[in-house]
Amino acid sequence: MTQAPELPKERRRRHDREIIALAVPAFGALVSEPLFVMADSAIIGHLGTTQLAGLGVAAALLMTAVNVFVFLAYATTAAVARRVGAGDLASAIRQGMDGVWLALLLGVAAVAVALPTAPWLVHAFGASDTAAPYAITYLRISSLGIPAMLTVLAATGVLRGLQNTRTPLYVAIGGFASNAALNALLVYGAGLGIAGSAWGTVIAQCAMAIAYLIVVVRGARQHGASLRPDAAGIRASAQAGVPLLIRTLSIRAVLMIATAVAARLGDVDIAAHQIVLSLWSLLAFALDAIAIAGQAIIGRYLGAGDAAGARQACRRMVEWGVAAGLVLGLLVAGSRPLFIPLFTSDPAVYDTLLPVLLVVAVSQPIAGVVFVLDGVLMGAGDGPYLAGAMLVTLAVFAPVALLVPAFGGGLTALWWAMALMMAVRMLTLWWRTRSGLWIVTGATR
């Protein structure tokens, strides 16, 4: 990262206020995503083990499909924020609508694929013969909500780009509450079983999408922005999203390789690995909230032509990332004896988890820098570099992780490989920010 003069206290405080104002609501909205699945699991769990197993398979497939398209939020945030910085709100909202139209098109295509292939996907995922019918039912119904889910992603990006993370928080809270209520009503009150849970989730997601669209459409009318689909704009949104899609798929490949290696290590190791992954995901939400603030703030500075302000904001957010990582690392290290009994009473799993969680704790400051710089480069619209850097990281991680069983390493060794993966990401992102090549000012990159 290029050197910038020390921030005056007033500017430092202003950056802090901006980061807090954007990151805290973003964290609340991010946490709502796993809460949807948790609510469904809690309600379906009382129907029976096979129903819960079916939900587990279908939910994993559904969330994988949706998470692949998370670039709809990231790319839209950066593009909208640039135009906000340039003072062109009408163009910003117009750009956001292109992202929303792209989300609807991709959602319809995903439904067209999911409906006929649901049985094959469920069986390919390893569902048992008893759980498969429930998984197929849930997947087919819930897939109808994919267009709404993707619309929520794109519209969330629009509002983040407009420096508004409070509305997504409020919509997420309302969506979670309605999802839980509808699930209880349809599963037990209407006696629809797992199908009722799926319909409840679809209705809640559609309601969230409608709420977002009302806000975006109101902004478009206020600033005279067109709501009609624009082929060139949709194509540009798709092109901006391709590198981020490659980045996302590379990250998913890392997680899949890690899980596959853990499964080869034995039942105790894979059980412990799943527990660690749940904690790792929660920590990622906290750090990703700062990254989201970075996307919005950096995009706005660059759109306004303020390269110095973008550098200073980047520097301050890195400091936030390191501090957040240190705090989270200390919490993980100190709470290990309290955290593990919440998930297992097996002494073997307990003993396996203790050193692994220490590795996770040690790597959190690195993760803090990675998430922040990732957000900075996304806000700058530097997607092609992010894609290439993540492919390099995957190329380093894959052979190291796959050699863990061959050399007699256990789960701790695997998670040291995960720490190496984060270190490689940090180095590639740090080099880019230090070079200054990401700093391209103007309403478009």
Side-chain angles (χ1 to χ4, degrees), residues 311-367:
R311 290 191 185 95
Q312 292 169 343
C314 174
R315 178 175 179 173
R316 187 56 178 160
M317 281 183 286
V318 168
E319 293 171 355
W320 268 80
V322 172
L326 285 170
V327 170
L328 292 174
L330 290 172
L331 286 174
V332 171
S335 64
R336 287 181 302 154
L338 301 175
F339 171 80
I340 297 175
L342 296 176
F343 291 88
T344 182
S345 58
D346 187 330
V349 176
Y350 184 97
D351 292 339
T352 301
L353 278 172
L354 275 176
V356 175
L357 290 178
L358 190 58
V359 176
V360 173
V362 170
S363 64
Q364 284 311 293
I366 297 174

Side-chain angles (χ1 to χ4, degrees), residues 4 34 36 51 69 93 179 193 196 219 299 321 366 396 419 431 434 442:
F36 266 80
Q51 288 92 332
F69 298 112
I93 296 175
N179 178 65
I366 297 174
V396 173
W431 179 86
R434 184 177 177 81

Side-chain angles (χ1 to χ4, degrees), residues 287-310:
L287 297 175
D288 202 27
I290 304 175
I292 287 169
Q295 294 171 32
I297 293 170
I298 294 298
R300 192 188 74 233
Y301 274 115
L302 293 178
D306 188 355

Side-chain angles (χ1 to χ4, degrees), residues 94-176:
R94 172 66 264 175
Q95 179 71 33
M97 283 305 304
D98 291 335
V100 171
W101 281 112
L102 176 62
L104 288 170
L105 291 173
L106 291 173
V108 171
V111 173
V113 172
L115 288 178
T117 61
W120 180 85
L121 290 170
V122 166
H123 287 293
F125 208 76
S128 67
D129 291 339
T130 53
Y134 296 109
I136 293 169
T137 296
Y138 188 92
L139 182 59
R140 276 183 165 159
I141 296 173
S142 60
S143 67
L144 298 175
I146 291 178
M149 295 179 195
L150 300 190
T151 299
V152 166
L153 283 178
T156 299
V158 176
L159 295 181
R160 288 173 181 170
L162 294 171
Q163 318 295 297
N164 177 2
T165 56
R166 289 184 177 272
T167 298
L169 173 61
Y170 300 147
V171 174
I173 292 173
F176 170 72

